[in-house]
Amino acid sequence: MKDESYPSRRRFLLAGLAALPLLGCEASAENCRQTERGAGGPFYRRGAPWRAKLAEASEPGEPLIISGRVVAAGTCEPLKGAIVDVWQANAEGLYDNQLSGERANGFRLRGQMKTDDEGRYQFETVLPGNYGDGGVQRAKHIHYIVSFPGYAPITTECYFEGDERNRTDPLVRESLVVALSSFTHRQERRKYLKGTFDIALRKAN
């Protein structure tokens, strides 16, 4: 379903590509290099609920847990209380503001959370689907806006190892690709994917 009230994905993606700095760095709590930026896209919505469980139990898709740390670039200092705002497409490759009826209710697959004393965050969701628009074939990804007082906020994306479109999506940066593993939840007896995505912010000028 195409919603003409939103600018085309292609326009946003190509504009985002032109604006991305080629930093040649990795987002890792080990080396604390500044995280590379990514495209925000046209489907961001302000005011997502404060929650770490993005997907309802009835949400189709592979259950996924993403965790990580938000730290200061260069010093590795954990940033307690950093705001992590995330949003994504569903397993079909559609955002909630492309859906209709009951499926469009609320902030589906969107949420905000704050990091703990060690700069850690974690959320539960489902693996997003691929999508294409206007010739741009997107790899699976989750959008982030991360902010902390005194530091430059960052808009970025995490991607996932094993996705064939990582090689052809012009917005993918190697440093933003997350390795996934799987485990079975003992109580739920349900299989989950899990990955780690660390973010390093630079001080504001």
Side-chain angles (χ1 to χ4, degrees):
M1 178 186 300
K2 186 174 182 179
D3 188 340
E4 296 297 338
S5 66
Y6 291 89
S8 74
R9 285 172 170 169
R10 179 177 176 80
R11 188 191 317 165
F12 268 80
L13 296 175
L14 295 182
L17 177 61
L20 291 180
L22 298 178
L23 299 179
C25 60
E26 296 180 355
S28 169
E30 294 180 356
N31 55 43
C32 302
R33 294 179 182 176
Q34 180 185 337
T35 299
E36 290 194 81
R37 296 186 177 274
F43 295 113
Y44 175 66
R45 297 174 63 189
R46 294 183 182 275
W50 293 94
R51 62 184 179 190
K53 189 175 178 66
L54 275 58
E56 301 291 338
S58 59
E59 183 70 42
E62 295 182 81
L64 171 66
I65 293 176
I66 296 292
S67 59
R69 297 177 71 217
V70 180
V71 301
T75 67
C76 298
E77 176 188 357
L79 300 181
K80 175 187 176 181
I83 297 175
V84 179
D85 189 352
V86 294
W87 72 102
Q88 66 173 84
N90 65 14
E92 300 174 65
L94 297 172
Y95 292 85
D96 62 358
N97 39 19
Q98 293 180 288
L99 303 175
S100 60
E102 291 185 0
R103 300 178 71 200
N105 291 341
F107 285 78
R108 189 169 183 170
L109 299 177
R110 300 172 187 265
Q112 298 184 78
M113 62 216 75
K114 289 187 177 183
T115 57
D116 68 9
D117 291 354
E118 299 300 321
R120 296 172 299 194
Y121 75 92
Q122 179 173 289
F123 62 89
E124 182 179 331
T125 184
V126 294
L127 187 67
N130 297 109
Y131 60 78
D133 183 77
V136 179
Q137 302 297 313
R138 294 301 331 263
K140 298 174 183 178
H141 59 278
I142 297 177
H143 294 277
Y144 280 68
I145 295 178
V146 183
S147 58
F148 185 77
Y151 287 74
I154 189 170
T155 299
T156 192
E157 300 166 286
C158 74
Y159 300 90
F160 307 99
E161 274 189 0
D163 186 348
E164 293 184 356
R165 290 191 183 177
N166 287 343
R167 300 194 303 269
T168 57
D169 185 338
L171 298 182
V172 172
R173 297 290 183 265
E174 185 178 353
S175 69
L176 305 179
V177 177
V178 172
L180 293 178
S181 59
S182 63
F183 72 98
T184 300
H185 195 287
R186 291 182 179 179
Q187 284 74 35
E188 297 180 11
R189 296 183 180 179
R190 188 183 188 192
K191 183 179 178 181
Y192 280 79
L193 297 172
K194 64 177 180 178
T196 301
F197 187 60
D198 296 325
I199 299 155
L201 301 181
R202 67 171 176 82
K203 286 194 172 182
N205 294 328

PDB file of all heavy atoms in Angstrom, residues 99-117:
ATOM      1  N   LEU A  99      -0.070   1.233   7.016  1.00  0.00           N
ATOM      2  CA  LEU A  99      -1.123   0.248   7.223  1.00  0.00           C
ATOM      3  C   LEU A  99      -2.474   0.938   7.394  1.00  0.00           C
ATOM      4  O   LEU A  99      -2.557   2.155   7.511  1.00  0.00           O
ATOM      5  CB  LEU A  99      -0.799  -0.601   8.453  1.00  0.00           C
ATOM      6  CG  LEU A  99       0.543  -1.331   8.425  1.00  0.00           C
ATOM      7  CD1 LEU A  99       0.793  -2.027   9.754  1.00  0.00           C
ATOM      8  CD2 LEU A  99       0.593  -2.334   7.278  1.00  0.00           C
ATOM      9  N   SER A 100      -3.525   0.145   7.404  1.00  0.00           N
ATOM     10  CA  SER A 100      -4.864   0.697   7.558  1.00  0.00           C
ATOM     11  C   SER A 100      -5.644  -0.135   8.569  1.00  0.00           C
ATOM     12  O   SER A 100      -5.251  -1.249   8.923  1.00  0.00           O
ATOM     13  CB  SER A 100      -5.608   0.704   6.212  1.00  0.00           C
ATOM     14  OG  SER A 100      -5.720  -0.607   5.694  1.00  0.00           O
ATOM     15  N   GLY A 101      -6.754   0.420   9.057  1.00  0.00           N
ATOM     16  CA  GLY A 101      -7.613  -0.303   9.990  1.00  0.00           C
ATOM     17  C   GLY A 101      -6.930  -0.559  11.315  1.00  0.00           C
ATOM     18  O   GLY A 101      -6.109   0.228  11.784  1.00  0.00           O
ATOM     19  N   GLU A 102      -7.235  -1.685  11.923  1.00  0.00           N
ATOM     20  CA  GLU A 102      -6.692  -2.012  13.238  1.00  0.00           C
ATOM     21  C   GLU A 102      -5.174  -2.163  13.219  1.00  0.00           C
ATOM     22  O   GLU A 102      -4.509  -1.927  14.217  1.00  0.00           O
ATOM     23  CB  GLU A 102      -7.336  -3.304  13.762  1.00  0.00           C
ATOM     24  CG  GLU A 102      -8.803  -3.166  14.108  1.00  0.00           C
ATOM     25  CD  GLU A 102      -9.349  -4.424  14.734  1.00  0.00           C
ATOM     26  OE1 GLU A 102      -8.566  -5.390  14.885  1.00  0.00           O
ATOM     27  OE2 GLU A 102     -10.543  -4.452  15.060  1.00  0.00           O
ATOM     28  N   ARG A 103      -4.635  -2.554  12.076  1.00  0.00           N
ATOM     29  CA  ARG A 103      -3.191  -2.768  11.993  1.00  0.00           C
ATOM     30  C   ARG A 103      -2.415  -1.463  12.155  1.00  0.00           C
ATOM     31  O   ARG A 103      -1.223  -1.475  12.460  1.00  0.00           O
ATOM     32  CB  ARG A 103      -2.831  -3.415  10.658  1.00  0.00           C
ATOM     33  CG  ARG A 103      -3.474  -4.755  10.422  1.00  0.00           C
ATOM     34  CD  ARG A 103      -3.102  -5.290   9.050  1.00  0.00           C
ATOM     35  NE  ARG A 103      -1.707  -5.706   9.005  1.00  0.00           N
ATOM     36  CZ  ARG A 103      -1.008  -5.853   7.884  1.00  0.00           C
ATOM     37  NH1 ARG A 103      -1.563  -5.593   6.720  1.00  0.00           N
ATOM     38  NH2 ARG A 103       0.243  -6.266   7.926  1.00  0.00           N
ATOM     39  N   ALA A 104      -3.086  -0.329  11.938  1.00  0.00           N
ATOM     40  CA  ALA A 104      -2.418   0.964  12.020  1.00  0.00           C
ATOM     41  C   ALA A 104      -2.546   1.597  13.400  1.00  0.00           C
ATOM     42  O   ALA A 104      -2.033   2.688  13.627  1.00  0.00           O
ATOM     43  CB  ALA A 104      -2.992   1.907  10.967  1.00  0.00           C
ATOM     44  N   ASN A 105      -3.215   0.922  14.327  1.00  0.00           N
ATOM     45  CA  ASN A 105      -3.443   1.501  15.645  1.00  0.00           C
ATOM     46  C   ASN A 105      -2.147   1.656  16.433  1.00  0.00           C
ATOM     47  O   ASN A 105      -1.281   0.780  16.410  1.00  0.00           O
ATOM     48  CB  ASN A 105      -4.417   0.638  16.452  1.00  0.00           C
ATOM     49  CG  ASN A 105      -5.827   0.693  15.893  1.00  0.00           C
ATOM     50  OD1 ASN A 105      -6.163   1.613  15.146  1.00  0.00           O
ATOM     51  ND2 ASN A 105      -6.652  -0.268  16.242  1.00  0.00           N
ATOM     52  N   GLY A 106      -2.039   2.785  17.148  1.00  0.00           N
ATOM     53  CA  GLY A 106      -0.909   2.980  18.045  1.00  0.00           C
ATOM     54  C   GLY A 106       0.408   3.172  17.323  1.00  0.00           C
ATOM     55  O   GLY A 106       0.467   3.384  16.117  1.00  0.00           O
ATOM     56  N   PHE A 107       1.482   3.091  18.101  1.00  0.00           N
ATOM     57  CA  PHE A 107       2.845   3.218  17.573  1.00  0.00           C
ATOM     58  C   PHE A 107       3.405   1.811  17.412  1.00  0.00           C
ATOM     59  O   PHE A 107       4.151   1.322  18.251  1.00  0.00           O
ATOM     60  CB  PHE A 107       3.705   4.052  18.522  1.00  0.00           C
ATOM     61  CG  PHE A 107       3.425   5.523  18.468  1.00  0.00           C
ATOM     62  CD1 PHE A 107       2.317   6.060  19.107  1.00  0.00           C
ATOM     63  CD2 PHE A 107       4.266   6.378  17.769  1.00  0.00           C
ATOM     64  CE1 PHE A 107       2.062   7.420  19.065  1.00  0.00           C
ATOM     65  CE2 PHE A 107       4.024   7.737  17.714  1.00  0.00           C
ATOM     66  CZ  PHE A 107       2.911   8.260  18.365  1.00  0.00           C
ATOM     67  N   ARG A 108       3.051   1.184  16.325  1.00  0.00           N
ATOM     68  CA  ARG A 108       3.433  -0.209  16.120  1.00  0.00           C
ATOM     69  C   ARG A 108       4.919  -0.317  15.787  1.00  0.00           C
ATOM     70  O   ARG A 108       5.420   0.364  14.885  1.00  0.00           O
ATOM     71  CB  ARG A 108       2.591  -0.791  14.990  1.00  0.00           C
ATOM     72  CG  ARG A 108       2.724  -2.279  14.806  1.00  0.00           C
ATOM     73  CD  ARG A 108       1.664  -2.781  13.855  1.00  0.00           C
ATOM     74  NE  ARG A 108       1.712  -4.229  13.693  1.00  0.00           N
ATOM     75  CZ  ARG A 108       0.767  -4.922  13.073  1.00  0.00           C
ATOM     76  NH1 ARG A 108      -0.292  -4.309  12.584  1.00  0.00           N
ATOM     77  NH2 ARG A 108       0.891  -6.231  12.944  1.00  0.00           N
ATOM     78  N   LEU A 109       5.634  -1.152  16.521  1.00  0.00           N
ATOM     79  CA  LEU A 109       7.066  -1.389  16.322  1.00  0.00           C
ATOM     80  C   LEU A 109       7.875  -0.095  16.451  1.00  0.00           C
ATOM     81  O   LEU A 109       8.820   0.160  15.706  1.00  0.00           O
ATOM     82  CB  LEU A 109       7.321  -2.070  14.972  1.00  0.00           C
ATOM     83  CG  LEU A 109       6.659  -3.442  14.799  1.00  0.00           C
ATOM     84  CD1 LEU A 109       6.922  -3.996  13.414  1.00  0.00           C
ATOM     85  CD2 LEU A 109       7.127  -4.421  15.867  1.00  0.00           C
ATOM     86  N   ARG A 110       7.483   0.698  17.454  1.00  0.00           N
ATOM     87  CA  ARG A 110       8.186   1.934  17.773  1.00  0.00           C
ATOM     88  C   ARG A 110       8.297   2.048  19.289  1.00  0.00           C
ATOM     89  O   ARG A 110       7.418   1.596  20.018  1.00  0.00           O
ATOM     90  CB  ARG A 110       7.438   3.164  17.242  1.00  0.00           C
ATOM     91  CG  ARG A 110       7.233   3.175  15.739  1.00  0.00           C
ATOM     92  CD  ARG A 110       6.309   4.322  15.329  1.00  0.00           C
ATOM     93  NE  ARG A 110       5.986   4.238  13.917  1.00  0.00           N
ATOM     94  CZ  ARG A 110       6.622   4.888  12.940  1.00  0.00           C
ATOM     95  NH1 ARG A 110       7.638   5.685  13.256  1.00  0.00           N
ATOM     96  NH2 ARG A 110       6.255   4.754  11.679  1.00  0.00           N
ATOM     97  N   GLY A 111       9.362   2.662  19.766  1.00  0.00           N
ATOM     98  CA  GLY A 111       9.493   2.857  21.201  1.00  0.00           C
ATOM     99  C   GLY A 111      10.689   3.711  21.553  1.00  0.00           C
ATOM    100  O   GLY A 111      11.603   3.897  20.746  1.00  0.00           O
ATOM    101  N   GLN A 112      10.658   4.250  22.768  1.00  0.00           N
ATOM    102  CA  GLN A 112      11.774   5.000  23.324  1.00  0.00           C
ATOM    103  C   GLN A 112      12.165   4.374  24.659  1.00  0.00           C
ATOM    104  O   GLN A 112      11.319   3.828  25.369  1.00  0.00           O
ATOM    105  CB  GLN A 112      11.394   6.459  23.568  1.00  0.00           C
ATOM    106  CG  GLN A 112      11.001   7.232  22.335  1.00  0.00           C
ATOM    107  CD  GLN A 112      10.736   8.686  22.669  1.00  0.00           C
ATOM    108  OE1 GLN A 112      11.672   9.476  22.851  1.00  0.00           O
ATOM    109  NE2 GLN A 112       9.477   9.062  22.750  1.00  0.00           N
ATOM    110  N   MET A 113      13.437   4.484  24.984  1.00  0.00           N
ATOM    111  CA  MET A 113      13.931   3.969  26.259  1.00  0.00           C
ATOM    112  C   MET A 113      15.150   4.781  26.668  1.00  0.00           C
ATOM    113  O   MET A 113      15.769   5.460  25.834  1.00  0.00           O
ATOM    114  CB  MET A 113      14.271   2.484  26.158  1.00  0.00           C
ATOM    115  CG  MET A 113      15.378   2.168  25.167  1.00  0.00           C
ATOM    116  SD  MET A 113      15.133   0.606  24.282  1.00  0.00           S
ATOM    117  CE  MET A 113      13.833   1.061  23.121  1.00  0.00           C
ATOM    118  N   LYS A 114      15.499   4.717  27.966  1.00  0.00           N
ATOM    119  CA  LYS A 114      16.689   5.386  28.469  1.00  0.00           C
ATOM    120  C   LYS A 114      17.709   4.345  28.916  1.00  0.00           C
ATOM    121  O   LYS A 114      17.346   3.279  29.413  1.00  0.00           O
ATOM    122  CB  LYS A 114      16.347   6.310  29.637  1.00  0.00           C
ATOM    123  CG  LYS A 114      15.584   7.558  29.218  1.00  0.00           C
ATOM    124  CD  LYS A 114      15.416   8.528  30.377  1.00  0.00           C
ATOM    125  CE  LYS A 114      14.721   9.798  29.926  1.00  0.00           C
ATOM    126  NZ  LYS A 114      14.600  10.794  31.027  1.00  0.00           N
ATOM    127  N   THR A 115      18.963   4.689  28.744  1.00  0.00           N
ATOM    128  CA  THR A 115      20.031   3.768  29.136  1.00  0.00           C
ATOM    129  C   THR A 115      20.191   3.753  30.654  1.00  0.00           C
ATOM    130  O   THR A 115      19.871   4.715  31.353  1.00  0.00           O
ATOM    131  CB  THR A 115      21.357   4.168  28.486  1.00  0.00           C
ATOM    132  OG1 THR A 115      21.665   5.518  28.839  1.00  0.00           O
ATOM    133  CG2 THR A 115      21.277   4.046  26.969  1.00  0.00           C
ATOM    134  N   ASP A 116      20.727   2.645  31.175  1.00  0.00           N
ATOM    135  CA  ASP A 116      20.925   2.498  32.612  1.00  0.00           C
ATOM    136  C   ASP A 116      22.269   3.102  33.044  1.00  0.00           C
ATOM    137  O   ASP A 116      22.922   3.817  32.272  1.00  0.00           O
ATOM    138  CB  ASP A 116      20.800   1.037  33.027  1.00  0.00           C
ATOM    139  CG  ASP A 116      21.934   0.148  32.496  1.00  0.00           C
ATOM    140  OD1 ASP A 116      22.931   0.678  31.943  1.00  0.00           O
ATOM    141  OD2 ASP A 116      21.831  -1.084  32.639  1.00  0.00           O
ATOM    142  N   ASP A 117      22.696   2.809  34.273  1.00  0.00           N
ATOM    143  CA  ASP A 117      23.929   3.387  34.819  1.00  0.00           C
ATOM    144  C   ASP A 117      25.160   3.070  33.983  1.00  0.00           C
ATOM    145  O   ASP A 117      26.133   3.827  33.983  1.00  0.00           O
ATOM    146  CB  ASP A 117      24.168   2.892  36.253  1.00  0.00           C
ATOM    147  CG  ASP A 117      23.153   3.434  37.238  1.00  0.00           C
ATOM    148  OD1 ASP A 117      22.332   4.289  36.829  1.00  0.00           O
ATOM    149  OD2 ASP A 117      23.162   3.011  38.405  1.00  0.00           O
TER     150      ASP A 117
END
